[in-house]
Amino acid sequence: MCGIVGALDLAGRRTFDPARLDRMAASVRHRGPDDGASFSAPGIAMATRRLAVVDVAGGRQPMADAGGRVWASYNGELFNHAELRRELAARGHTLRTRCDTELWPGLYLDAGEGAFSRARGQFAVALWDREARTLLLGRDRIGICPLHYAEADGWLLWASEIKAILASGLVRPEVDPAGIDHVFSLFAAGTRRTCFRGVRSIWPGHYLRAQGGAVEERRYWDLDFPAQGEERRVASLDALIEETRACLRDAVQRRLVSDGPVATYLSGGLDSTLVLGLAREARGDAPIASFTVGFDGAGPDERRRATRSAARLGARLETLVPSPTEILETLPRVVEAAEGPVMDTADGCVLLLAERAARRGFKVVLTGEGADEAMGGYVWHKTHRAMERLARVHPALPRAIRDTLAELAAPGTPAPTFQDHFGDVRPSLLDLYEPLSRARWLFYSDTMAERVAGHDPFSELDIAPARMRRWDPLNRSLYVEYKLMLAGHLLVGKGDRAAMRSGVEHRYPFLDEAFVDLASGLSPLYKLRGLREKWLLREVARRVLPRDVADPPKGMFKAHALCALGPQPRWIAQLVSPESLRKTGYFSPAKVAREQRFQRILPALAPRRIVADGSYTAVVTTQLWHHLFLGGGLCELPTWSPPAPAAADERAAADERAAADERAVASTERTVPS
């Protein structure tokens, strides 16, 4: 993975200020600490900070084709690079390196805008055609790699992270209230809207085309399912299990390709354990390094299962046990990385894991996200089926139960209108979002409520209810999970941003295109069988893993909510003081104080606590985001500012020296389970 930045003159052929480009690149240096370079010509400038994973010596970018017509600046990995390399070479393209960046100019020359459809992997890429004076900015199908853009002073600016756009000095950081409301409504970042006014993300499965001053976004892929009743059913379950096993084994094998060592995360749950088991199959007897998080009073502790799985699979396991205070102290780094509010304190644990992996010398880590979205792993699928059964008793029962629970959780708050967007198509996620989203009204100030009145976050997602109507109810919900929960939460706070802050690349076998295609075409019977989630994956696990670790109970990687962690650093109280709350205007000081009192007196499983605790975490992190990026003055913490290029290089050199020192003694700190 890397960090890419750039600028295109939409009106002519001005020269982009090299100092601006340097500042933009320096702001994403953490994404690519190994190398940096740039390309500039009249009207265009692009730069890359490189995390060197494959062809360390020969992969400097931006990179052009042999004729110098097409330039590529690229973040990510093409996991079908071997096939593409053979195809392009057979068509006469000259390839001079082993780096997959070089394939992008060839793909474009070979297929034009169809290049994105031929790419398999995780990527954000900028392609500049010098002859046609056309810029393409493309993002992978699922949304693993981020790519943001903005227009200012006649320039189209783009970058892997918003910080680089702000570092250009052409875009002033201003709040977009609807972006904040999106997070509070859907517990995930918007997949196009951000919290910064005028800064947008390219949707997953889309690319931006800029030519002659015109900018348009185009789709090249969308997730699809067969019509209900037309899904694939098989005569032989054994054959299906082996087919799925082979598909996942290939996905893991592709993601083990690296010039350096590759590690895995291991929670003790089904998904990460299966990834480790398949990696062991691919590597033979070579031990694999794994990292896990344990909790002493900060959340559900899965250390015992993780340790047993590592021991049975011959992995070298290193366990990180952050204290509640350590988790809280990660929040400034998490929010700076995510560039918006977060609701899940476990994001900090992923950040700590990535920091530890980087200090141990790993640039690549395999992880298990995407299995739940493919195979119906979340609890709300089961509750939705229970509601469907209750509807057979009386059609009004499900609505009455939902309304009662929502009123207990957030009494007196307006009911959301999410169902209006979907009509008669009701994804099971609405059973979660309807009560949880009402909690924002327990905190919003009157001014904030007025500013977001009428905002419908679902209307801003790349979701087509008309298409969903054809599908089985389970597949409707899986579609929304891919578009929202996965792209806007797991791949942001727990994915790219948390990892790349330390120059660590997460790879996701369950997001492999072949596996997504296989899973989406199957009958729901193989995904959620009765109330048994991820049935097919569990059957695969029984053939890959030792019996005593092959069928773990469903769990969630989650730390306690912010209000339950302590002792808390002083800056948290400063952020939610009446003075700071009045300065930002997002939240009512009286309402915040009231919910703080309820957090002290209500049990953790009270409906009001369940919905309000996550929103209170977001209140704190919204205030923190505002402080970091919009001028400070809310607490004692320093604010974010663009690093000077030279300072960034010096800091990176110091970080590398410190990492080298730690690696020198790492062998005495590793934990090898027995």
Side-chain angles (χ1 to χ4, degrees):
M1 297 274 240
C2 303
I4 66 173
V5 303
L8 173 70
D9 187 358
L10 295 173
R13 301 194 179 190
R14 292 174 291 171
T15 297
F16 192 70
D17 183 354
R20 292 188 191 275
L21 188 67
D22 287 346
R23 287 197 301 271
M24 292 174 71
S27 295
V28 292
R29 195 190 190 288
H30 51 276
R31 300 184 65 89
D34 296 329
D35 189 21
S38 63
F39 161 76
S40 294
I44 184 74
M46 51 181 20
T48 306
R49 290 298 320 185
R50 183 176 178 226
L51 182 68
V53 174
V54 175
D55 196 358
V56 174
R60 169 168 280 200
Q61 51 167 308
M63 189 179 292
D65 66 287
R69 172 181 169 178
V70 180
W71 284 81
S73 179
Y74 165 56
N75 165 31
E77 305 288 346
L78 291 177
F79 296 121
N80 63 334
H81 63 92
E83 299 94 319
L84 292 174
R85 189 174 296 276
R86 289 193 296 268
E87 292 172 10
L88 291 173
R91 290 183 171 88
H93 293 275
T94 300
L95 301 174
R96 299 157 292 175
T97 75
R98 292 188 298 111
C99 181
D100 56 354
T101 303
E102 189 179 20
L103 301 179
W104 280 105
L107 277 175
Y108 174 81
L109 290 171
D110 203 54
E113 295 176 26
F116 301 111
S117 297
R118 291 174 61 182
R120 296 289 186 271
Q122 51 193 66
F123 59 83
V125 62
L127 294 170
W128 170 244
D129 183 340
R130 298 179 72 169
E131 290 185 8
R133 297 200 64 79
T134 299
L135 174 72
L136 302 179
L137 301 174
R139 195 173 176 205
D140 64 67
R141 289 163 171 77
I142 303 297
I144 298 170
C145 296
L147 190 54
H148 303 280
Y149 67 96
E151 294 185 31
D153 191 31
W155 292 96
L156 174 66
L157 306 169
W158 73 87
S160 295
E161 297 183 12
I162 298 171
K163 288 184 282 290
I165 293 175
L166 301 180
S168 73
L170 297 175
V171 175
R172 179 182 176 183
E174 297 180 354
V175 64
D176 183 346
I180 293 176
D181 189 58
H182 193 109
V183 176
F184 275 82
S185 299
L186 302 181
F187 304 89
T191 53
R192 175 181 276 172
R193 186 187 290 276
T194 75
C195 292
F196 292 91
R197 187 185 303 278
V199 181
R200 292 288 181 263
S201 295
I202 295 175
W203 266 334
H206 286 67
Y207 64 94
L208 213 66
R209 182 181 190 274
Q211 184 184 47
V215 180
E216 59 178 318
E217 193 167 9
R218 297 180 175 179
R219 181 198 306 278
Y220 70 89
W221 180 86
D222 196 8
L223 182 63
D224 201 6
F225 295 92
Q228 186 173 10
E230 298 178 8
E231 304 93 350
R232 180 186 173 197
R233 295 200 177 205
V234 298
S236 169
L237 288 177
D238 282 343
L240 176 60
I241 294 166
E242 284 303 317
E243 177 187 358
T244 306
R245 177 180 180 174
C247 181
L248 285 172
R249 184 171 55 235
D250 182 64
V252 169
Q253 180 70 61
R254 290 174 181 269
R255 284 157 180 80
L256 289 171
V257 174
S258 171
D259 287 356
V262 179
T264 74
Y265 290 153
L266 182 63
S267 69
L270 173 68
D271 309 333
S272 62
T273 306
L274 182 54
V275 168
L276 176 59
L278 291 166
R280 184 196 181 199
E281 283 189 352
R283 286 287 177 89
D285 293 332
I288 297 172
S290 294
F291 296 86
T292 193
V293 171
F295 292 120
D296 284 336
D301 191 12
E302 294 187 315
R303 271 180 290 179
R304 181 176 298 178
R305 286 205 301 270
T307 300
R308 182 171 65 246
S309 296
R312 299 288 281 118
L313 294 169
R316 300 193 308 270
L317 182 66
E318 184 163 344
T319 301
L320 178 71
V321 186
S323 70
T325 298
E326 286 174 322
I327 295 173
L328 292 173
E329 288 174 345
T330 67
L331 288 178
R333 307 202 297 280
V334 169
V335 172
E336 182 182 307
E339 300 174 327
V342 298
M343 284 192 163
D344 192 345
T345 55
D347 295 356
C349 300
V350 177
L351 184 144
L352 290 170
L353 272 179
E355 290 178 347
R356 179 67 63 87
R359 288 197 296 269
R360 296 296 186 252
F362 293 97
K363 295 180 181 180
V364 177
V365 178
L366 271 58
T367 183
E369 275 77 20
D372 289 313
E373 288 76 13
M375 290 287 171
Y378 292 116
V379 66
W380 44 81
H381 300 305
K382 301 178 186 180
T383 60
H384 190 74
R385 286 196 171 179
M387 290 292 188
E388 290 177 332
R389 292 172 183 172
L390 286 174
R392 297 171 195 158
V393 178
H394 194 289
L397 270 177
R399 185 74 267 168
I401 293 172
R402 291 173 179 135
D403 290 346
T404 300
L405 289 174
E407 186 61 24
L408 287 172
T413 58
T417 58
F418 299 155
Q419 187 64 56
D420 295 346
H421 179 70
F422 290 96
D424 59 348
V425 177
R426 183 181 175 85
S428 61
L429 267 76
L430 294 191
D431 289 347
L432 173 74
Y433 285 124
E434 284 180 343
L436 290 180
S437 67
R438 290 178 65 164
R440 68 194 196 275
W441 305 115
L442 299 175
F443 295 96
Y444 279 179
S445 67
D446 291 343
T447 300
M448 181 66 171
E450 291 174 4
R451 295 176 78 181
V452 300
H455 173 234
D456 178 6
F458 269 113
S459 68
E460 299 173 345
L461 300 177
D462 182 31
I463 290 175
R467 292 178 60 224
M468 294 169 62
R469 190 167 287 108
R470 301 184 298 112
W471 304 333
D472 182 270
L474 177 64
N475 287 335
R476 297 171 186 171
S477 296
L478 299 182
Y479 179 72
V480 177
E481 287 171 11
Y482 273 102
K483 298 283 187 172
L484 176 57
M485 180 74 70
L486 186 65
H489 173 52
L490 296 177
L491 296 179
V492 178
K494 287 188 172 70
D496 175 273
R497 301 310 188 82
M500 288 302 292
R501 189 184 183 280
S502 297
V504 172
E505 175 179 291
H506 283 180
R507 294 180 178 176
Y508 307 91
F510 292 113
L511 297 182
D512 183 85
E513 288 87 349
F515 177 70
V516 171
D517 288 345
L518 171 66
S520 61
L522 291 175
S523 166
L525 174 67
Y526 307 126
K527 304 172 187 179
L528 181 63
R529 177 165 288 200
L531 295 180
R532 190 59 164 164
E533 77 281 349
K534 294 187 287 193
W535 178 84
L536 180 57
L537 282 189
R538 293 184 182 278
E539 293 301 310
V540 171
R542 288 189 175 96
R543 302 191 179 191
V544 173
L545 303 175
R547 180 177 298 179
D548 58 338
V549 298
D551 193 19
K554 171 65 180 173
M556 293 187 71
F557 175 52
K558 188 173 181 61
H560 291 325
L562 184 149
C563 66
L565 298 174
Q568 297 193 349
R570 185 169 59 183
W571 51 263
I572 291 181
Q574 294 169 350
L575 288 172
V576 293
S577 68
E579 179 185 10
S580 292
L581 293 170
R582 281 191 288 267
K583 281 183 179 179
T584 62
Y586 309 132
F587 311 108
S588 161
K591 290 181 179 179
V592 171
R594 179 193 62 197
E595 296 309 316
Q596 288 174 321
R597 288 194 299 272
F598 278 125
Q599 286 173 335
R600 289 192 296 269
I601 64 176
L602 290 178
L605 295 180
R608 186 159 186 153
R609 282 288 305 276
I610 290 172
V611 303
D613 282 359
S615 291
Y616 178 73
T617 299
V619 167
V620 174
T621 57
T622 300
Q623 292 286 102
L624 179 56
W625 167 81
H626 186 107
H627 173 81
L628 292 174
F629 290 105
L630 274 72
L634 303 183
C635 69
E636 63 192 24
L637 294 174
T639 60
W640 177 85
S641 59
D649 290 338
E650 291 170 4
R651 184 170 61 252
D655 290 345
E656 176 55 32
R657 287 193 296 272
D661 291 341
E662 183 162 348
R663 286 195 296 271
V665 297
S667 60
T668 64
E669 300 178 8
R670 293 183 188 272
T671 302
V672 181
S674 58

